Amino acid sequence: MERLCYKFDLGSQHHLSPSHAILTRFSSSPSPSPSPLPLPLPLPLPLPSSSSSSSSSASLGLRRATRRRWRACSASRPPAEPAPHDRPSLASIGKGLFGFAAAAAAFASVCGGGSPAVAESLTVAFPASHVREVNTVQRTLVEAWGLIRETFVDPTFNHQDWDSKLQQTMVEMFPLRSADAAYNKIGAMLSTLGDPFTRIISPKEYQSFRIGSDGNLQGVGLFINAEPKTGHLVVLYCVDDSPAARAGIHEGDELIEIDGEILEGVGSEVAAQKLRGRAGTTVTVKVHSGTDGGSASTVREVKLPREYIKLSPVSTAVIPHRMPDGSITKTGYVKLSAFSQNAAADVESAIQEMERQDVRSYILDLRDNPGGLVKAGLDVAQMWLDGDETLVNTIDRDGNLQPINMIDGHAITHDPLVVLVNEGSASASEILAGALHDNGRAILVGNKTFGKGKIQSVMELHDGSALFVTVAKYLSPSLHDIDQVGITPDVQCTADMINVPKESLFKEKSSVSTLEADSCIMVAEHELDIQESKGTAS
């Protein structure tokens, strides 16, 4: 019987990422094996909870967190059963049963490490699936289980025996015949943690996530989505100066074919993968354009070159603003749609350009921004603040409260600031809004935010999939708990659009005329008037 064998070094002084839990196969038949352990199976001591770093940056991913080293055991036969005097030191890895006779027996050994940095090690063997793709996912299961064991914010794992969950999931995964079914078992295991944000995504899904967070892709510059009722693939957005934009493809156009393949029944992610590709190659699309301004509906075929596409989450406008005394000033509008790797740099460039245009006040629009990289949110916060202000407080799995403070910060501008938020503003958006509000730098206008007060770490696994793990909770600088509560703005408003045709809203989302008709922006301008009349830049 082949088994999966893993060896865990439990020393806490290693700083290596366990991104590869290496599979070692061995057979129990060539050499004498210990008798199968009795069922229920007493298995080795649980991996101790990782000691959360006192550094706040570690929990936010600003530098690599300390993790235990994982390595594969190299054995030609199952590890020997521990000596009798060792047995009192063994705790159960789970009280559940393997549901299939002696072939399901697992073996474990606890042995002294040869290096002072390794206090002890743990070897665990599991029956290996004979289906290759399931066998690979078994590796992923153990890797994900171990990372949760070390880093998950709740050390009780939702008041359950996390070690037994590994054993139970291995039992359920063993008879499966497809990778998708095996991945579903990992997802089911993670769902028992009671945290919807701790999850695993497939390699393809992770590739799409990285495109969003990295801010760069090779493709044609189209964002598409499937219409819920018809399933038709419709263009949501066309990146400025992209091959698709230069070819005259617009929002609302429908994709019919890609390289001669009819897209009926094809999902948006699959279609997006077909549009992407190495820069310098081409892709041919057939597009249906609906009626626009009275012109007839058309179907046309377009050959598009693939290029490097920079995705900026920032859009800007300068809004002429009439003051109560009749004078005209300029208000800088900055819309931040996500916190990708280039978000902070793009916001900084936008503010500096507006300062050169003599902008006297700002509106930072975080509405419908679901979050992203926490570090990007903190970097944007520092552009508006001075000194050593607290940006956010984190709480690790041991309950330790750790403030994250600026160090000798210098704001780019001290002009009055209003931040727009709504129920779609979540995570890093709430961290940024809380930092600016609690430090007296900005007025919040809009509606109560989503209420996601948890921070995830994203870890790529050996097969290209990724594990999202909640590693910390956070409180605002004033110690307000945001999770499942949200942030209530100072001034509430509804985002009604006043006297603007629907077509204009759809195609010119950041035009000055559209912005001036946004009732929340009108409220924001009124709040800026009040701030300026007080002579403060709150």
Side-chain angles (χ1 to χ4, degrees):
M1 167 65 70
E2 284 189 324
R3 291 182 172 83
L4 296 180
C5 179
Y6 288 87
K7 184 170 183 178
F8 303 92
D9 285 345
L10 304 183
S12 60
Q13 297 179 29
H14 291 292
H15 295 259
L16 302 181
S17 170
S19 58
H20 294 81
I22 301 173
L23 170 67
T24 300
R25 289 189 178 86
F26 60 80
S27 172
S28 60
S29 55
S31 56
S33 301
S35 300
L37 299 179
L39 300 177
L41 190 64
L43 272 182
L45 99 148
L47 298 175
S49 300
S50 64
S51 55
S52 300
S53 170
S54 61
S55 167
S56 57
S57 60
S59 61
L60 292 172
L62 304 186
R63 69 166 180 260
R64 180 168 295 182
T66 300
R67 303 192 189 111
R68 291 176 187 80
R69 183 182 178 186
W70 293 26
R71 71 181 182 213
C73 70
S74 55
S76 59
R77 61 180 183 273
E81 195 173 2
H85 65 271
D86 288 333
R87 289 188 180 178
S89 66
L90 300 182
S92 173
I93 201 170
K95 298 181 175 63
L97 304 183
F98 279 118
F100 39 87
F107 302 89
S109 69
V110 178
C111 47
S115 163
V118 183
E120 54 191 355
S121 61
L122 169 67
T123 302
V124 183
F126 291 99
S129 172
H130 293 291
V131 180
R132 184 175 180 180
E133 58 186 46
V134 174
N135 189 290
T136 299
V137 182
Q138 283 183 305
R139 253 177 85 183
T140 305
L141 167 63
V142 176
E143 193 176 5
W145 169 83
L147 290 168
I148 294 292
R149 193 70 166 78
E150 294 181 34
T151 63
F152 186 59
V153 67
D154 176 9
T156 73
F157 307 101
N158 199 24
H159 306 286
Q160 64 179 329
D161 185 343
W162 186 240
D163 301 334
S164 70
K165 294 303 295 186
L166 173 64
Q167 189 169 330
Q168 174 188 338
T169 307
M170 273 289 186
V171 172
E172 296 172 351
M173 190 178 290
F174 182 77
L176 301 179
R177 291 292 178 264
S178 72
D180 286 344
Y183 269 115
N184 288 340
K185 290 298 180 183
I186 299 179
M189 179 184 75
L190 297 177
S191 70
T192 66
L193 294 168
D195 175 30
F197 306 111
T198 294
R199 66 195 191 279
I200 191 169
I201 61 174
S202 70
K204 284 187 177 180
E205 290 172 321
Y206 183 50
Q207 184 181 14
S208 296
F209 169 81
R210 290 196 60 178
I211 288 171
S213 61
D214 292 348
N216 293 282
L217 64 82
Q218 297 180 61
V220 298
L222 282 179
F223 286 84
I224 57 177
N225 194 29
E227 285 280 0
K229 293 183 179 179
T230 65
H232 295 170
L233 295 177
V234 176
V235 176
L236 287 179
Y237 174 68
C238 204
V239 178
D240 290 342
D241 198 35
S242 65
R246 294 196 297 270
I249 297 176
H250 300 291
E251 292 92 338
D253 288 353
E254 178 189 344
L255 291 187
I256 300 174
E257 293 181 8
I258 298 178
D259 281 336
E261 180 182 346
I262 297 175
L263 297 177
E264 184 175 355
V266 175
S268 58
E269 179 55 38
V270 173
Q273 291 285 347
K274 295 178 183 295
L275 292 172
R276 297 175 196 141
R278 184 168 51 84
T281 61
T282 61
V283 60
T284 300
V285 300
K286 187 174 286 186
V287 182
H288 174 242
S289 300
T291 57
D292 184 10
S295 61
S297 170
T298 60
V299 175
R300 61 194 178 104
E301 192 171 87
V302 184
K303 188 174 184 179
L304 302 173
R306 294 187 178 100
E307 299 176 358
Y308 286 97
I309 308 294
K310 181 182 178 183
L311 304 175
S312 175
V314 176
S315 57
T316 63
V318 175
I319 305 173
H321 177 53
R322 184 177 297 277
M323 296 292 291
D325 62 3
S327 62
I328 301 295
T329 64
K330 297 176 181 178
T331 297
Y333 172 82
V334 180
K335 169 69 175 177
L336 181 56
S337 59
F339 291 91
S340 59
Q341 286 188 0
N342 57 332
D346 288 354
V347 171
E348 182 175 10
S349 296
I351 297 173
Q352 290 173 339
E353 174 60 29
M354 289 180 177
E355 287 292 293
R356 287 191 286 270
Q357 296 182 44
D358 198 28
V359 162
R360 296 298 179 89
S361 59
Y362 287 88
I363 297 172
L364 176 60
D365 192 346
L366 301 180
R367 289 176 296 179
D368 298 315
N369 182 331
L373 303 178
V374 173
K375 182 180 183 300
L378 298 178
D379 287 345
V380 173
Q382 294 181 76
M383 298 175 193
W384 309 90
L385 295 168
D386 290 318
D388 57 356
E389 304 284 10
T390 297
L391 300 177
V392 71
N393 296 283
T394 65
I395 303 175
D396 64 21
R397 63 186 286 164
D398 297 319
N400 299 316
L401 179 69
Q402 180 70 44
I404 299 178
N405 297 331
M406 296 170 53
I407 300 176
D408 193 26
H410 296 281
I412 298 175
T413 177
H414 296 91
D415 292 331
L417 173 65
V418 166
V419 177
L420 299 180
V421 294
N422 67 0
E423 60 280 353
S425 306
S427 193
S429 288
E430 294 172 292
I431 289 177
L432 173 56
L436 297 177
H437 179 266
D438 287 5
N439 285 298
R441 180 63 180 89
I443 299 290
L444 300 187
V445 170
N447 294 287
K448 183 186 290 187
T449 62
F450 181 84
K452 180 172 179 277
K454 296 176 180 177
I455 298 172
Q456 282 71 47
S457 178
V458 184
M459 307 173 202
E460 184 173 358
L461 305 181
H462 78 279
D463 62 351
S465 61
L467 183 68
F468 289 69
V469 184
T470 297
V471 295
K473 300 176 183 177
Y474 71 82
L475 306 177
S476 75
S478 297
L479 301 179
H480 295 141
D481 189 354
I482 296 169
D483 195 45
Q484 300 184 44
V485 177
I487 301 174
T488 301
D490 302 295
V491 181
Q492 297 202 22
C493 69
T494 56
D496 297 326
M497 307 304 294
I498 304 171
N499 298 325
V500 176
K502 183 176 180 181
E503 295 78 10
S504 176
L505 294 179
F506 190 64
K507 296 198 171 186
E508 301 181 57
K509 294 176 183 175
S510 292
S511 70
V512 172
S513 60
T514 302
L515 294 175
E516 289 180 329
D518 183 330
S519 62
C520 284
I521 290 182
M522 295 174 65
V523 173
E525 290 182 316
H526 175 68
E527 292 300 318
L528 291 172
D529 288 345
I530 294 174
Q531 289 186 50
E532 292 191 35
S533 67
K534 293 179 179 178
T536 61
S538 60

